[in-house]
Amino acid sequence: MKPYAELTKEELMELRKVLKAQYREYQGKDLKLDMSRGKPCVEQLDLSMGMMDVLNSDSDLTCEDGTDCRNYGVLDGIREAKELLADMMEVNPDNLIIYGNSSLNVMYDTIARSMTHGVMGSTPWAKLDKVKFLCPVPGYDRHFAITEYFGIEMINVPMTPTGPDMDMVEELVASDEAIKGIWCVPKYSNPQGISYSDETVRRFARLKPAARDFRIYWDNAYGVHHLYDHDQDHLIEILAECKRAGNPDLVYKFASTSKVSFPGSGIAALATSLNNLADIKKQLKIQTIGHDKVNQLRHVRFFGDIHGMVEHMRKHADILRPKFEMVEETLERELGGLGIGEWTTPKGGYFISFESMEGCAKDIVAKCKKAGVTMTPAGAAFPYGKDPKDTNIRIAPTYPPLGDLTIAMELFSLCVKLASVEKLLADMKENRNAE
Amino acid sequence: MKPYAELTKEELMELRKVLKAQYREYQGKDLKLDMSRGKPCVEQLDLSMGMMDVLNSDSDLTCEDGTDCRNYGVLDGIREAKELLADMMEVNPDNLIIYGNSSLNVMYDTIARSMTHGVMGSTPWAKLDKVKFLCPVPGYDRHFAITEYFGIEMINVPMTPTGPDMDMVEELVASDEAIKGIWCVPKYSNPQGISYSDETVRRFARLKPAARDFRIYWDNAYGVHHLYDHDQDHLIEILAECKRAGNPDLVYKFASTSKVSFPGSGIAALATSLNNLADIKKQLKIQTIGHDKVNQLRHVRFFGDIHGMVEHMRKHADILRPKFEMVEETLERELGGLGIGEWTTPKGGYFISFESMEGCAKDIVAKCKKAGVTMTPAGAAFPYGKDPKDTNIRIAPTYPPLGDLTIAMELFSLCVKLASVEKLLADMKENRNAE
């Protein structure tokens, strides 16, 4: 098949007829498939059912240091949980606080604290006229929702295959004191699955922000979420790199076991410099007496250590790999060479990112929806939900069973074709009118 | 023994000698007892060990409505957990949000949200020159710590045997728009164990605050924490009373299972009007994807229903009752009729409140500490840690074994006597100097 851009008007009209007939067939199938969020599938959840057995009524729920996990106390997490999460996050356990079940909540809380109390003694952001954040795009919608909720102005920074456009980041951060942070998913990014290059991480660690309360919000959500055993992305550890660069306080690093054990019932953590930790603990001791230590202990007893967690993640990979491969194969088979879309082929994480022709993404997602397949809303990966070029669609292959996913991706490809043909025809009409 | 105030100087000096000798004996015993916090004891924690068995790897972790508790989702709690907590809190499940492991955290979060986003559309408190809270005293130190952290000015309101001084509350609330809230522990209050009378609750529900974003922060921490089977305090349910009074949005009600199952590993909840809930959910959906549903399910499967929880609380009472009775008996035996202290005899909750002669509380606590018994710091039950008369001491009888508690209370009584004698002698000297 020729690239669509080379087809004549007549060929396109004929093609549209064929595609429409195929689309109507799908509409008749009464599909109800949800590909909107990056949720683990049932088989993945089953992997962690053993976690329900590691503690029982005969168990000693005492920590290695003698703390009874069943009672009040221990503000920043039990030692053995810190060690496990520190190994997962590649940091020193002393640089870590264990929180509750959600790293998103820790990020929210970090912004909320900065609003009311500033960062290490700086002016509370709520007292400033203007606060801005840099947002690499496409990115994670829930990050952007937090900054939007607090009235923080968001500035788009384009993603490149090696991470955010660092020339732009460096320049903006150095020149504008109102810029207080940047949202990053540095490994297997949401939604593109891009891992930041060594140079990108090094440039991050060497940023010279105008604002002394500027921090990098490093959401390492997919740090151990590889799809392959050997062909894995490696990320330079940012805390250590910041320390080496003489900027030890520049970064907050977040992670959780949400997609390791059970989403919503895992444990979350924040890792940062001792200075930042001291600042955060002033709040933490007011906020709570302590997080769920029994659940911390449950995780430690289930995984044992980081090797146990790595072995566990291999089982996740075995379930997810065929899904990712199927999506990529279908897209290649259906759309390869047509010049109407591009997609990423990540080695880990939870998403594949699709780029349509300009102005087609919303239409494609709407067409999928009308035929019973719910995708993440087009534009969701951009601040304020606005994709300037209307090209980006996030594909979340993890949750549906492989059979459903195959059908969904075939329908998706069909919708891409149909939307593209319609766009090309509309453009032709417009060009004629303009002549 | 005569009241100390009737003793002559010589009698007091002789008494001081005897008491000092007794005190030195205690100092020689190398005691190390901690009565500083209201923590459940080991036997109480053992009561909930069955909770570790209700979910195992063969369990179906599906809710009644079909939700898989192991995955993302369900922002405000699973239905069956709402029903259990609603019964515990005497409210409609639809008026409730289930949170994480800590109601203190929910209260913190409620204040933090009001700071940055106001209450149902009001001006964010961070944008106001002055925000004030009413603080019934003595009260709960962690409440006061939250308002202090946010720079909210705290106004002491004296507690009476029927609750806070309502004349004062009504007048202040009606006259000052800067007053945005009042901290209440309405049942078996911390530290006095006072339950608000019917009239007090009715007057609360009929408050006419100048500030439309004024809310009552109703921390019903000890709602089901009775010591006796029949001789129990009963509290008018505040949400319903506010609704009847035409003030449905006036109150936030908080509770948790911290002292029902495991402190720090229980589930917390907030109950309030649908209007307030809608306001709160605007934040909640940004803050998290959902709280720990597996733990919610664990609680539901363990307790079954409210009757199961009531039976469970009876076992707690059986452990705690002898401790409270021993404290009261010791105080009566050692201090009865001496006119140097008064104490409460609550029917539930976690504390007994002691009132010394003016200016003695700090000294008594210091003397206990020097002999190896750590009490809650004197003044802790007051905003900014300042007890204006230096009389209040919180006694927390729950955690130590009965034997330790007996020794601690004997030492405590001795310290009360010694401090009182020293105070009376000092006063005599002062009076003589003044003549």
Side-chain angles (χ1 to χ4, degrees):
Chain A
M1 187 92 195
K2 276 199 286 190
Y4 279 19
E6 296 172 16
L7 298 181
T8 64
K9 185 183 164 196
E10 289 64 35
E11 284 172 320
L12 284 170
M13 287 176 72
E14 180 55 35
L15 181 55
R16 180 172 60 181
K17 203 182 288 176
V18 175
L19 294 170
K20 275 200 167 174
Q22 291 174 2
Y23 183 68
R24 272 192 300 272
E25 262 182 56
Y26 274 98
Q27 282 185 305
K29 286 186 184 176
D30 202 25
L31 298 176
K32 267 184 203 155
L33 304 176
D34 191 343
M35 293 185 63
S36 65
R37 305 292 328 172
K39 291 167 69 173
C41 63
V42 173
E43 293 73 22
Q44 288 180 273
L45 300 173
D46 287 343
L47 295 177
S48 298
M49 281 307 286
M51 188 172 286
M52 298 293 100
D53 292 335
V54 290
L55 301 183
N56 60 53
S57 57
D58 295 326
S59 300
D60 183 355
L61 305 193
T62 308
C63 292
E64 284 161 21
D65 73 357
T67 302
D68 189 338
C69 286
R70 304 170 303 172
N71 218 331
Y72 284 115
V74 191
L75 191 61
D76 56 357
I78 65 173
R79 184 71 197 176
E80 46 265 63
K82 281 187 180 184
E83 279 168 8
L84 178 64
L85 272 283
D87 280 345
M88 176 178 132
M89 294 171 78
E90 302 175 304
V91 299
N92 185 319
D94 293 334
N95 288 102
L96 197 119
I97 295 172
I98 308 273
Y99 280 82
N101 67 309
S102 155
S103 60
L104 185 74
N105 192 216
V106 185
M107 294 178 234
Y108 173 97
D109 201 51
T110 305
I111 303 283
R113 180 184 62 250
S114 306
M115 291 299 294
T116 55
H117 289 78
V119 177
M120 279 172 59
S122 78
T123 305
W125 297 354
K127 304 254 183 232
L128 300 176
D129 288 334
K130 186 64 115 181
V131 176
K132 302 177 190 170
F133 251 63
L134 302 186
C135 300
V137 291
Y140 181 32
D141 55 350
R142 290 189 191 270
H143 286 164
F144 305 152
I146 293 173
T147 24
E148 185 176 1
Y149 179 73
F150 284 102
I152 293 170
E153 185 184 316
M154 294 181 278
I155 301 169
N156 290 2
V157 174
M159 281 290 286
T160 78
T162 56
D165 177 337
M166 289 309 292
D167 289 344
M168 190 174 168
V169 170
E170 283 166 352
E171 197 191 311
L172 284 169
V173 155
S175 62
D176 189 350
E177 212 188 336
I179 296 175
K180 303 298 188 189
I182 180 167
W183 288 120
C184 295
V185 182
K187 196 165 173 181
Y188 304 133
S189 70
N190 179 351
Q192 293 166 303
I194 289 171
S195 296
Y196 294 7
S197 69
D198 291 358
E199 193 200 331
T200 297
V201 178
R202 290 198 183 104
R203 289 174 75 176
F204 261 112
R206 282 157 185 79
L207 284 178
K208 302 201 185 324
R212 68 183 178 92
D213 50 354
F214 173 92
R215 294 290 181 274
I216 303 164
Y217 292 70
W218 198 258
D219 180 6
N220 202 11
Y222 308 108
V224 294
H225 303 61
H226 307 281
L227 287 173
Y228 302 94
D229 237 21
H230 296 287
D231 191 14
Q232 300 181 344
D233 290 348
H234 179 263
L235 193 68
I236 294 185
E237 201 293 299
I238 184 79
L239 255 72
E241 188 61 23
C242 284
K243 212 170 168 183
R244 285 191 289 264
N247 289 322
D249 303 329
L250 194 60
V251 67
Y252 299 129
K253 187 173 181 177
F254 307 93
S256 83
T257 67
S258 278
K259 295 179 183 86
V260 178
S261 59
F262 295 134
S265 303
I267 53 179
L270 180 152
T272 190
S273 71
L274 298 183
N275 284 335
N276 281 326
L277 283 185
D279 191 45
I280 292 167
K281 282 184 187 172
K282 282 184 211 159
Q283 173 205 25
L284 192 61
K285 70 178 185 188
I286 305 293
Q287 215 174 9
T288 187
I289 304 174
H291 295 101
D292 187 343
K293 295 186 296 299
V294 173
N295 203 34
Q296 292 172 26
L297 194 65
R298 185 178 290 119
H299 277 72
V300 171
R301 300 243 172 119
F302 180 63
F303 291 112
D305 57 18
I306 186 61
H307 177 67
M309 189 183 280
V310 166
E311 289 293 312
H312 186 77
M313 292 314 292
R314 189 171 288 165
K315 296 177 198 160
H316 279 287
D318 289 342
I319 295 168
L320 293 182
R321 204 183 313 109
K323 296 188 178 187
F324 276 75
E325 289 174 351
M326 195 280 293
V327 169
E328 290 158 15
E329 281 161 21
T330 307
L331 291 173
E332 185 57 42
R333 187 180 66 239
E334 296 293 327
L335 303 177
L338 300 185
I340 55 173
E342 291 179 355
W343 54 92
T344 56
T345 54
K347 296 178 192 160
Y350 263 60
F351 302 104
I352 288 169
S353 185
F354 184 86
E355 291 288 318
S356 71
M357 288 169 56
E358 278 200 37
C360 287
K362 272 193 182 159
D363 189 27
I364 294 166
V365 170
K367 281 181 161 59
C368 287
K369 181 112 190 167
K370 264 193 224 164
V373 172
T374 306
M375 310 289 297
T376 309
F382 290 76
Y384 313 107
K386 283 181 200 155
D387 176 359
K389 295 184 177 170
D390 188 26
T391 58
N392 184 255
I393 299 172
R394 186 177 79 168
I395 298 172
T398 56
Y399 186 71
L402 199 57
D404 286 359
L405 190 61
T406 308
I407 297 169
M409 288 319 297
E410 284 168 358
L411 171 66
F412 175 80
S413 303
L414 176 63
C415 293
V416 171
K417 289 182 200 171
L418 186 53
S420 304
V421 166
E422 287 176 354
K423 181 68 167 53
L424 287 165
L425 283 167
D427 286 352
M428 281 179 180
K429 198 173 169 187
E430 203 174 295
N431 287 342
R432 223 175 20 252
N433 289 346
E435 271 161 17
Chain B
M1 186 92 194
K2 277 199 287 191
Y4 278 19
E6 296 172 17
L7 299 180
T8 63
K9 186 183 164 194
E10 288 65 33
E11 286 173 317
L12 284 170
M13 288 176 72
E14 180 56 34
L15 181 55
R16 181 174 57 182
K17 202 182 291 175
V18 176
L19 294 171
K20 275 202 167 173
Q22 292 175 2
Y23 183 67
R24 271 192 299 273
E25 264 183 56
Y26 273 99
Q27 284 185 302
K29 287 186 184 177
D30 201 26
L31 299 176
K32 266 184 204 156
L33 305 175
D34 190 345
M35 293 186 62
S36 65
R37 304 293 328 173
K39 289 167 70 172
C41 64
V42 173
E43 292 74 19
Q44 287 179 274
L45 300 173
D46 287 343
L47 295 176
S48 298
M49 282 306 286
M51 188 171 288
M52 297 292 101
D53 291 335
V54 290
L55 302 183
N56 60 53
S57 58
D58 295 326
S59 300
D60 182 355
L61 303 194
T62 308
C63 292
E64 285 162 20
D65 72 357
T67 302
D68 189 338
C69 285
R70 305 172 302 174
N71 218 330
Y72 284 116
V74 191
L75 190 61
D76 56 358
I78 65 173
R79 184 71 197 177
E80 46 265 62
K82 281 188 178 184
E83 279 169 7
L84 178 65
L85 272 283
D87 280 346
M88 176 180 134
M89 295 171 79
E90 303 176 305
V91 298
N92 185 319
D94 293 335
N95 288 103
L96 197 117
I97 295 172
I98 308 274
Y99 280 82
N101 67 309
S102 156
S103 60
L104 185 74
N105 191 218
V106 185
M107 293 178 233
Y108 173 97
D109 200 51
T110 305
I111 304 283
R113 180 184 61 249
S114 306
M115 292 299 294
T116 55
H117 288 79
V119 178
M120 279 173 58
S122 78
T123 305
W125 297 353
K127 304 257 182 227
L128 301 176
D129 288 336
K130 186 65 116 179
V131 176
K132 302 177 189 170
F133 251 63
L134 302 185
C135 299
V137 291
Y140 180 32
D141 55 351
R142 292 191 190 269
H143 285 164
F144 305 153
I146 291 174
T147 25
E148 185 176 0
Y149 179 72
F150 284 102
I152 294 171
E153 184 183 317
M154 293 181 277
I155 301 170
N156 290 2
V157 174
M159 280 291 285
T160 77
T162 56
D165 178 337
M166 289 310 292
D167 290 345
M168 190 174 168
V169 170
E170 285 166 351
E171 197 190 311
L172 284 169
V173 155
S175 63
D176 189 349
E177 213 188 335
I179 296 176
K180 303 298 189 190
I182 180 168
W183 288 118
C184 294
V185 183
K187 196 166 173 181
Y188 304 133
S189 70
N190 178 351
Q192 294 167 302
I194 289 171
S195 296
Y196 293 7
S197 70
D198 291 358
E199 194 200 330
T200 297
V201 178
R202 290 198 183 102
R203 288 174 75 177
F204 262 112
R206 283 159 186 78
L207 284 179
K208 301 199 186 326
R212 68 182 177 91
D213 50 354
F214 173 91
R215 294 290 180 274
I216 303 164
Y217 291 70
W218 198 258
D219 180 5
N220 202 12
Y222 307 108
V224 295
H225 303 61
H226 308 282
L227 287 172
Y228 302 95
D229 236 21
H230 296 286
D231 192 13
Q232 300 181 344
D233 290 349
H234 180 262
L235 192 70
I236 294 184
E237 201 294 299
I238 185 79
L239 256 71
E241 188 61 23
C242 284
K243 212 170 168 183
R244 285 191 289 265
N247 289 322
D249 302 328
L250 194 59
V251 66
Y252 299 128
K253 187 173 181 176
F254 307 93
S256 83
T257 67
S258 279
K259 294 179 184 86
V260 179
S261 59
F262 295 134
S265 303
I267 53 179
L270 181 152
T272 190
S273 71
L274 299 183
N275 284 334
N276 281 326
L277 283 185
D279 191 44
I280 292 166
K281 282 184 187 172
K282 281 184 212 159
Q283 173 205 24
L284 192 61
K285 70 178 185 187
I286 304 293
Q287 215 173 8
T288 185
I289 304 175
H291 295 99
D292 187 343
K293 295 186 297 298
V294 172
N295 203 33
Q296 292 172 27
L297 193 67
R298 185 179 287 119
H299 277 73
V300 171
R301 301 243 172 118
F302 180 63
F303 291 113
D305 57 18
I306 186 63
H307 178 66
M309 190 183 280
V310 165
E311 290 294 310
H312 186 78
M313 292 315 292
R314 188 171 289 164
K315 296 177 198 160
H316 278 286
D318 289 341
I319 295 167
L320 293 181
R321 203 183 313 109
K323 297 188 177 186
F324 276 76
E325 288 174 351
M326 195 282 291
V327 170
E328 290 158 16
E329 282 161 22
T330 307
L331 292 172
E332 185 57 42
R333 185 180 69 239
E334 297 294 326
L335 304 177
L338 300 185
I340 55 172
E342 292 179 354
W343 53 93
T344 57
T345 54
K347 296 177 191 160
Y350 263 62
F351 303 103
I352 288 168
S353 184
F354 184 86
E355 291 288 319
S356 71
M357 287 169 55
E358 278 199 36
C360 287
K362 271 193 182 159
D363 188 28
I364 294 167
V365 170
K367 282 182 159 59
C368 287
K369 181 111 193 170
K370 264 193 225 165
V373 172
T374 307
M375 311 289 295
T376 308
F382 291 76
Y384 314 106
K386 284 181 199 155
D387 176 358
K389 296 181 175 171
D390 187 26
T391 58
N392 184 257
I393 299 171
R394 186 177 79 167
I395 298 172
T398 57
Y399 186 71
L402 199 57
D404 287 358
L405 190 61
T406 309
I407 297 168
M409 288 318 298
E410 285 168 358
L411 171 66
F412 175 80
S413 303
L414 176 62
C415 293
V416 171
K417 289 181 199 170
L418 187 54
S420 305
V421 167
E422 287 177 354
K423 181 66 166 55
L424 287 165
L425 284 166
D427 286 351
M428 281 177 180
K429 198 174 170 188
E430 204 173 296
N431 288 340
R432 221 173 23 251
N433 290 347
E435 270 162 19

